Amino acid sequence: MSGCENARRRAAPSRPRRIWTKESGAGFMPTEQELIAQRYAKLEALRQAGADPFAIHRFDRTHTTAQAVAEITAVEAQTGDQTDWDSIHLPARLCGRLMAKRDQGKAIWADLHDGEGKLQLWVRKDLLGDGFAGFQDLDLGDIIGCEGTLFRTRRGEPSLRVESFVLLAKALRPLPEKWHGLQDTETRYRQRYVDLMVNSEVRELFRKRSRAVSGLRRYLDSQGFLEVETPIMQTLYGGAAARPFITHHNALDMDLYLRIAPELYLKRLLVGGLERVYEIGRMFRNEGVDTRHNPEFTMVEAYQAYTDVEGMMRLTEGMLCALAEAANGSLHCTYRGMKIDLTPPWPRLSLLESVKEVTGVDFGCLGSDAEAQEACRDLDLLEVQDASLAGLLDKAFERYVQPRLVQPTFVVDYPVVISPLAKRKAPGSDLTARFELFVGTEEVANAFSELNDPVDQRQRFEAQVAMRAAGDDEAHPMDEDYLRALEYGLPPAGGMGMGIDRVMMVLCDRPSLREVILFPHLRPEE
RNA sequence: GAGCCGUUAGCUCAGCUGGUAGAGCACCGGACUUUUAAUCCGAGGGUCGGGGGUUCGAAUCCCUCACGGCUCACCA
């Protein structure tokens, strides 16, 4: 079956349809199906002529567009102001996507885009001869390879004088408009390939993200950390307060959980003697989707033996600075109009003190949920569903303190009840040696001195199990193997986790997590 | 899960108190060998997100469903 027939079948029109031909002539205004059919017709003609683009396996280029521009500039640096391009022969073979065509009859100016940039093509009938008509038949979006000589035009545009070209892949669908590009948010996320194709700033953003993660790896490696991989499918989940996704293993006939955090596995590695480990990977949490939450997201977690939450502060500073330097080449950035300076060291702020300062409510003096509800009566926390002491504290902080945390700030002294894996500040204390990092009002990291007392840890798990029985489906399940590992001896250690997507949102000044995730989760079409 | 907003040509968008659909780009025909949002001449496309209702008449008003966006809830 030819592609052309395929396209027509998909069109499935309910009325007689016009089929494009060369003879359709003036007045032919195509619908999308007809635009596609036109291109299939061109493809079919090429196949008939023995020039099937999809039969080609490779194209050996000599230059990317960036290299071509660099070479032109280098020659000019040698020849001075009056570079005579007629007497210079700079052969080059380039390939990429045809993104613009300016037809002048016997010559065509065109723009060739590749992974690094673009180069203008000058296509002349007297140089191509019979091949010129073939170039005229190309559509925007077609992927081509070109051979010719490099030069710069009178207007100063680096260009390739094309001597021959070959179609390497036919674009069978029309591209979005050249000037406004693709704006529709939904289409941008659903068809990210089109978004990347036409919106250069989107390409740059994801390059930045890639550079940032590389920079983070380099930093952690340089600090003596070992990158490891732990199970994504787990028989028991833990390490965070969240509901998991459940999947099923057929051969073993058992349900498995997609991890909500790698924490408990990474600390098992500390028990085993790997003293500095980290993992960068995808986490899965079965919860709502909004501008700050995607069901799958990327997190880095790092664990270091023989240090504590203080050590994690220094490590976190180093990690975020490495990310920022790699992404932006700077420790300064702007997020939602806020100017942020990431230069360490960063200040600390007590959770309880900060809430007390802003709201006047001293949660440290409150003993019960009822007392907390009474104390919060004048605060704007009416819709909060979890009206427990911890829930109200959390919400009061989020609503009154967090919006003020523009510059990087370590919020410290989290209560034990919401920190089941963190070490107490001192024996018997209700506070833990923990911090959460806020930058640009966003929470981006969480860290603490790791609880290594198996007896205390068992009691904490039991408390979680009780909360679970009381209806909290985000509380930890009991993990006997983890407790067994602690019984072998976990050295005192610090551990931290940082949301890479959140960090990129801040570093790239994007209004939504979806903007920094290549394929954010969306409901299916139709 | 709730509230508000949105969905019109392939893309970007107009379309007023209801009178039967518009532009730019893209596409098609023609001219043009230094253009770069090329230009000029010509041609003129649509299930107005889907379904239902009100009306002589609906892109427009009402109901409903789908998808998206924002806010809240949930959540780190």
Side-chain angles (χ1 to χ4, degrees):
Chain A
M1 178 176 61
S2 78
C4 189
E5 286 157 358
N6 195 26
R8 285 172 199 169
R9 174 179 299 185
R10 243 179 284 142
S14 56
R15 60 193 151 83
R17 58 192 316 284
R18 299 159 298 163
I19 298 301
W20 174 85
T21 65
K22 280 273 187 190
E23 290 70 41
S24 297
F28 181 78
M29 297 303 289
T31 65
E32 181 184 26
Q33 296 300 341
E34 288 158 345
L35 288 169
I36 293 171
Q38 276 176 35
R39 293 179 178 223
Y40 268 98
K42 287 186 184 177
L43 173 65
E44 190 54 30
L46 287 168
R47 285 181 159 151
Q48 294 296 329
D52 182 355
F54 295 117
I56 295 175
H57 284 241
R58 64 185 288 167
F59 182 85
D60 296 319
R61 66 173 141 197
T62 59
H63 297 68
T64 64
T65 56
Q67 289 166 339
V69 172
E71 182 155 344
I72 290 167
T73 308
V75 166
E76 286 166 334
Q78 284 185 342
T79 55
D81 288 343
Q82 296 104 355
T83 306
D84 176 16
W85 288 108
D86 290 334
S87 63
I88 294 169
H89 186 60
L90 281 181
R93 289 166 59 85
L94 290 94
C95 47
R97 193 182 288 273
L98 188 68
M99 293 299 282
K101 246 166 100 182
R102 295 176 291 279
D103 192 338
Q104 289 191 315
K106 295 189 180 63
I108 299 172
W109 298 97
D111 292 340
L112 184 75
H113 287 225
D114 66 13
E116 297 177 36
K118 66 170 187 173
L119 188 75
Q120 177 171 265
L121 305 177
W122 192 25
V123 186
R124 299 169 39 148
K125 190 171 187 178
D126 58 357
L127 287 176
L128 282 188
D130 294 342
F132 189 73
F135 198 95
Q136 285 180 309
D137 268 349
L138 291 177
D139 290 303
L140 296 187
D142 284 353
I143 293 171
I144 60 173
C146 297
E147 180 159 15
T149 56
L150 298 170
F151 73 109
R152 190 186 292 276
T153 65
R154 273 179 233 158
R155 300 285 183 90
E157 185 73 23
S159 305
L160 178 78
R161 183 185 288 106
V162 176
E163 283 147 18
S164 69
F165 78 95
V166 57
L167 180 61
L168 299 171
K170 182 76 189 160
L172 295 163
R173 288 175 174 269
L175 257 45
E177 199 223 346
K178 60 187 170 188
W179 190 240
H180 299 93
L182 180 64
Q183 301 290 327
D184 181 70
T185 316
E186 186 176 348
T187 312
R188 285 186 48 233
Y189 297 157
R190 284 196 198 284
Q191 301 185 47
R192 187 67 96 176
Y193 38 89
V194 180
D195 190 27
L196 289 164
M197 206 183 294
V198 301
N199 293 325
S200 60
E201 67 284 359
V202 175
R203 279 200 304 277
E204 183 47 35
L205 185 148
F206 286 106
R207 279 212 185 80
K208 225 184 209 190
R209 178 172 172 144
S210 179
R211 283 201 306 270
V213 173
S214 293
L216 175 64
R217 276 207 171 83
R218 272 197 304 282
Y219 174 75
L220 285 167
D221 292 346
S222 76
Q223 299 296 305
F225 282 80
L226 190 70
E227 182 170 14
V228 297
E229 291 170 286
T230 63
I232 289 173
M233 293 192 294
Q234 306 178 346
T235 52
L236 201 56
Y237 63 93
R243 290 153 64 190
F245 285 95
I246 302 172
T247 187
H248 187 78
H249 191 294
N250 289 338
L252 298 177
D253 188 26
M254 66 182 297
D255 282 346
L256 292 169
Y257 303 103
L258 300 188
R259 68 178 172 193
I260 57 173
E263 171 157 354
L264 300 180
Y265 281 97
L266 292 172
K267 283 191 280 195
R268 284 173 169 96
L269 298 179
L270 257 46
V271 170
L274 304 179
E275 295 182 352
R276 296 184 182 200
V277 293
Y278 74 97
E279 179 165 12
I280 297 173
R282 211 72 61 84
M283 307 301 147
F284 308 86
R285 296 188 185 177
N286 206 337
E287 56 201 26
V289 182
D290 62 30
T291 47
R292 289 172 178 74
H293 300 267
N294 196 60
E296 54 180 304
F297 63 100
T298 302
M299 193 157 76
V300 55
E301 287 204 3
Y303 291 82
Q304 180 176 349
Y306 308 113
T307 187
D308 61 3
V309 69
E310 301 282 331
M312 288 302 104
M313 288 183 184
R314 291 190 287 277
L315 182 67
T316 301
E317 287 169 344
M319 288 167 68
L320 188 53
C321 289
L323 283 162
E325 285 285 3
N328 296 330
S330 167
L331 293 182
H332 296 260
C333 63
T334 301
Y335 176 65
R336 292 178 186 257
M338 300 174 276
K339 290 203 181 312
I340 297 171
D341 179 0
L342 297 174
T343 308
W346 303 331
R348 305 167 190 206
L349 186 66
S350 157
L351 175 67
L352 295 174
E353 287 295 317
S354 67
V355 172
K356 182 177 159 190
E357 205 166 286
V358 179
T359 68
V361 178
D362 187 355
F363 279 82
C365 296
L366 301 173
S368 69
D369 293 353
E371 276 180 46
Q373 285 160 23
E374 173 65 22
C376 292
R377 201 171 359 158
D378 294 336
L379 301 182
D380 178 25
L381 299 173
L382 291 176
E383 325 81 34
V384 174
Q385 290 185 0
D386 176 12
S388 69
L389 193 154
L392 287 168
L393 170 61
D394 201 36
K395 193 49 86 176
F397 173 80
E398 180 184 316
R399 193 157 296 179
Y400 292 99
V401 182
Q402 191 173 336
R404 301 168 175 224
L405 303 182
V406 173
Q407 301 306 322
T409 306
F410 293 118
V411 174
V412 298
D413 295 346
Y414 283 79
V416 170
V417 276
I418 56 171
S419 313
L421 301 165
K423 200 172 245 193
R424 293 174 201 269
K425 286 189 83 174
S429 170
D430 290 333
L431 296 179
T432 54
R434 173 181 176 189
F435 73 74
E436 287 195 349
L437 173 66
F438 291 81
V439 179
T441 75
E442 306 288 355
E443 179 206 341
V444 299
N446 179 26
F448 36 85
S449 300
E450 301 299 334
L451 175 61
N452 60 346
D453 175 349
V455 176
D456 193 356
Q457 184 66 74
R458 178 174 291 279
Q459 288 165 0
R460 306 260 196 114
F461 272 146
E462 282 166 353
Q464 291 285 312
V465 169
M467 288 164 66
R468 199 176 177 71
D472 182 355
D473 52 10
E474 281 154 6
H476 273 77
M478 177 65 69
D479 191 334
E480 289 290 351
D481 178 70
Y482 180 66
L483 290 170
R484 178 167 60 190
L486 291 191
E487 286 174 341
Y488 279 100
L490 170 66
M496 62 80 64
M498 189 184 311
I500 300 291
D501 315 275
R502 290 269 181 88
V503 168
M504 292 316 297
M505 198 166 93
V506 173
L507 292 180
C508 298
D509 195 15
R510 301 333 275 198
S512 165
L513 209 62
R514 287 184 283 261
E515 287 291 329
V516 301
I517 294 174
L518 278 167
F519 298 99
H521 184 264
L522 296 176
R523 285 190 166 89
E525 294 176 78
E526 295 160 353

